[in-house]
Amino acid sequence: MLCSALLGWRDRLLLLLLLIVPAVASAERVISLGGDVTELVYALGAGDRLIGRDTTSQYPQAALDLPDVGYLRQLSLEGILSLRPDLVLLSDAARPAPLAERLAAAGVRVVRVPHQQDLAGVEHKIHVIAEALSRQAAGVELIRAFQQDVARLQQATEEHAGWQAVFILNHGGMGAPLVAGQGSSAAQMLDLAGVDNAAAALQGYRPLSAEGLIQARPEVVIVTEAGLRALGGEAGLWRLPGVRQTPAGRAGRYLVVDDLAFLGFGPRTPDELVRLRQALMAFSS
C-alpha cells in the first residue's frame, strides 16, 4: 500500500515537472545580436521571447520596440548584461571578438550563429537558432519553405539578365559611399540574381570614385532603402561623383532593395532577388 502511494506521488511529481519545464523554456529572456539572427527568431515564432536586439535588427517592425543594446560591431558588455538575459544569440559578425567569452564568464548562455554569407548558410543559421530556442519543428518548416523560395529563384535566373549593375553602399554619416566589388556580399547577391557586376574589377567594398564609376559604365544603379534615405532621395543619388555620367545616370535607371533581405542572407533573400530580377527585366520591356 505504502509503495503504491509513493509511486503515485512520484508519477504526479513527474507529470508536474513535465508541465513546468516547457513553460520555463518559453519564458527565457533572449537577446538577439545580428539583423539576420533577429529576423530568424521571429520567423521561428519566438519573437515574444526577445528582450533586446542590436541596431542592425530592423525587421520585422516589432523588433524596433525592443531595447537597442548598440551597433553589432561596437557592442558593450555592460549594455547587454543590464537586460539580464538568459540567452544571447550572437552573430559571428559581432564585435568585439571576445564578447562571447566575456558573456559566458558572466554566467550568460551564449549561442554563436555562423556568419556564412551564402544561401546554404541561411539553412545553417535556421538550424542553429531553432536548436537554441527548442523550436526544431518550426525550423524544419522554415527550411522547407526557404528551399522552395531558392528553387523559384533558380528558375527565375535560368536566363541571364543581360544588365551591368553597380551596387552603392551608403550608411549615412559613417564614411563615404562605397561600391561593391567582387567578394562582397552585394556582389554575391548580384551573381545569384544573374546580374553582371560592373565593379567586378574591384575587390570588396571600395570608396566611390567618379573616374572608376564612369569607366565601369553601369547600366543600372542599385542602392538600399536606408542608403537612399541617407542620400536625401533620388536627387542625392544622382549627385554622387560620376553617377550622372554613367549609362544608368543618363537614363535615370536605379533600383532600391531592402537592406536586410539583400545584404543579410536571411529567409527573405531569395524573394528579394526574384523581385530585383523582375524589376531589371521590366527595364527591357
Side-chain angles (χ1 to χ4, degrees), residues 31-33 69 75-91 94-112:
I31 292 178
S32 178
L33 302 177
V69 299
L75 292 167
S76 161
L77 177 69
E78 292 73 20
I80 296 170
L81 293 178
S82 69
L83 295 179
R84 297 179 291 108
D86 302 312
L87 169 65
V88 172
L89 297 172
L90 181 67
S91 168
R95 295 292 182 272
L99 183 64
E101 291 75 11
R102 294 169 66 193
L103 284 167
V108 178
R109 179 186 170 212
V110 179
V111 172
R112 300 182 65 158

Side-chain angles (χ1 to χ4, degrees), residues 20-192:
I20 290 175
V21 168
V24 170
S26 65
E28 243 182 340
R29 298 171 59 82
V30 182
I31 292 178
S32 178
L33 302 177
D36 53 341
V37 178
T38 301
E39 180 173 352
L40 286 170
V41 172
Y42 279 96
L44 289 166
D48 59 335
R49 293 167 65 179
L50 289 177
I51 60 165
R53 48 98 186 180
D54 72 299
T55 304
T56 70
S57 298
Q58 298 286 313
Y59 184 91
Q61 184 69 28
L64 299 180
D65 294 330
L66 296 170
D68 184 347
V69 299
Y71 179 54
L72 184 65
R73 297 183 183 275
Q74 296 176 342
L75 292 167
S76 161
L77 177 69
E78 292 73 20
I80 296 170
L81 293 178
S82 69
L83 295 179
R84 297 179 291 108
D86 302 312
L87 169 65
V88 172
L89 297 172
L90 181 67
S91 168
D92 275 342
R95 295 292 182 272
L99 183 64
E101 291 75 11
R102 294 169 66 193
L103 284 167
V108 178
R109 179 186 170 212
V110 179
V111 172
R112 300 182 65 158
V113 182
H115 187 60
Q116 186 176 333
Q117 296 291 276
D118 53 37
L119 294 178
V122 178
E123 294 186 30
H124 191 190
K125 286 187 280 191
I126 293 172
H127 176 75
V128 169
I129 297 170
E131 285 287 329
L133 298 173
S134 299
R135 299 283 297 171
Q136 290 90 340
V140 170
E141 290 301 314
L142 186 55
I143 288 174
R144 183 180 294 118
F146 180 76
Q147 290 173 338
Q148 292 171 349
D149 291 341
V150 170
R152 281 194 291 272
L153 171 62
Q154 292 170 339
Q155 184 178 10
T157 57
E158 286 180 353
E159 294 183 10
H160 197 268
W163 286 95
Q164 288 269 348
V166 65
F167 177 80
I168 296 178
L169 180 67
N170 179 57
H171 287 307
M174 297 180 66
L178 306 173
V179 171
Q182 61 178 313
S184 64
S185 56
Q188 293 182 64
M189 292 299 183
L190 293 178
D191 185 58
L192 287 168

Side-chain angles (χ1 to χ4, degrees), residues 117 167 169 185-186 189 205 224 258-265 269:
Q117 296 291 276
F167 177 80
L169 180 67
S185 56
M189 292 299 183
Y205 289 102
T224 66
D258 180 280
D259 297 67
L260 186 56
F262 186 77
L263 295 173
F265 282 99
T269 293

Side-chain angles (χ1 to χ4, degrees), residues 185-266:
S185 56
Q188 293 182 64
M189 292 299 183
L190 293 178
D191 185 58
L192 287 168
V195 180
D196 287 330
N197 183 8
L202 301 177
Q203 191 70 37
Y205 289 102
R206 289 290 180 267
L208 181 68
S209 159
E211 295 76 12
L213 193 59
I214 294 170
Q215 186 176 359
R217 297 182 56 79
E219 299 167 298
V220 182
V221 172
I222 299 173
V223 65
T224 66
E225 294 171 355
L228 189 64
R229 284 196 304 270
L231 288 169
E234 180 181 352
L237 175 64
W238 301 132
R239 283 195 296 267
L240 288 175
V243 174
R244 264 299 184 195
Q245 287 71 51
T246 65
R250 289 193 293 270
R253 280 192 298 262
Y254 75 102
L255 292 174
V256 183
V257 292
D258 180 280
D259 297 67
L260 186 56
F262 186 77
L263 295 173
F265 282 99

